[in-house]
Amino acid sequence: MSEMLIDYYKAIEDSSVKMLEAALAKDWDGVVRYEGTCAVLIEQLRTKATEEELLPEHRREKMRIMQRILRNDAQIRCLAEPWLMQFEHMFDAQPQFMH
């Protein structure tokens, strides 16, 4: 039954890889879509983790998966930063209205 729990970690990692691939392709809608998938999976993982524990032999695999997810996240942030700054400047360029 614990294999189910590790499968959530694997699915989150898979979505993070897809997010990175979308970011590399500058497909920001895709990044947002996969980010939503990750959020759903994380919530499902939280629920499942209250029902069962990870087997000791899966804990090491979980740590490797988490490290890869963090690396993917860091790369996505580096790729998104210029896009976010450009997006921010679009709002800075809007005329300010006085109330």
Side-chain angles (χ1 to χ4, degrees):
M1 198 151 181
S2 238
E3 276 116 14
M4 289 290 293
L5 194 56
I6 195 69
D7 288 340
Y8 284 98
Y9 288 99
K10 291 176 182 178
I12 294 166
E13 179 188 14
D14 183 59
S15 286
S16 80
V17 167
K18 290 176 181 171
M19 280 176 62
L20 177 56
E21 290 169 352
L24 287 166
K26 295 184 182 353
D27 174 11
W28 304 114
D29 290 335
V31 171
V32 170
R33 197 168 42 254
Y34 290 119
E35 183 179 30
T37 300
C38 280
V40 169
L41 288 166
I42 289 167
E43 192 54 40
Q44 291 172 344
L45 171 63
R46 283 187 181 130
T47 301
K48 191 73 172 166
T50 63
E51 300 167 3
E52 63 182 77
E53 287 188 27
L54 206 56
L55 292 174
E57 58 267 24
H58 289 153
R59 290 185 186 140
R60 188 171 288 144
E61 183 177 5
K62 172 194 164 190
M63 292 308 296
R64 285 192 294 266
I65 289 169
M66 296 300 293
Q67 289 170 346
R68 288 190 298 262
I69 290 170
L70 290 172
R71 279 195 298 273
N72 291 344
D73 185 61
Q75 287 181 289
I76 292 164
R77 288 177 190 275
C78 285
L79 292 165
E81 195 169 295
W83 177 79
L84 289 171
M85 294 199 33
Q86 179 184 7
F87 190 71
E88 215 172 87
H89 288 303
M90 285 174 26
F91 285 106
D92 289 343
Q94 297 290 323
Q96 299 296 318
F97 295 100
M98 305 270 308
H99 293 279

